[in-house]
Amino acid sequence: MNIQDYSDNDLVNIQDKIEAFERLVILIALVLGILQILSLSMPLTIWQGFSGWFRTVPSSGYQA
């Protein structure tokens, strides 16, 4: 089935879903960027709240 075979209503619904998906991807990228900035600016604070779910503590020197 080609995109031209869909009704106008279906095309609007498809476009709405594509736009929602694009917004989700942009939002996820923004949140990941904010988390990365926080992790780089406050590493000691993050490691103090670390619950220990890694197998080993990294050798980077950040320990609680």
Side-chain angles (χ1 to χ4, degrees), residues 38-59:
L38 287 174
S39 70
L40 292 173
S41 63
M42 298 188 293
L44 295 176
T45 305
I46 292 170
W47 281 111
Q48 286 173 350
F50 179 64
S51 64
W53 53 271
F54 287 137
R55 286 185 174 192
T56 58
V57 176
S59 60

Side-chain angles (χ1 to χ4, degrees), residues 1-12 14:
M1 190 171 220
N2 293 327
I3 194 76
Q4 295 87 5
D5 297 335
Y6 290 101
S7 68
D8 289 339
N9 188 33
D10 289 338
L11 291 174
V12 169
I14 291 169

Side-chain angles (χ1 to χ4, degrees), residues 8-27:
D8 289 339
N9 188 33
D10 289 338
L11 291 174
V12 169
N13 289 336
I14 291 169
Q15 186 64 32
D16 288 345
K17 290 180 183 186
I18 290 172
E19 289 176 6
F21 181 73
E22 289 175 348
R23 288 185 189 120
L24 177 67
V25 170
I26 290 171
L27 180 64

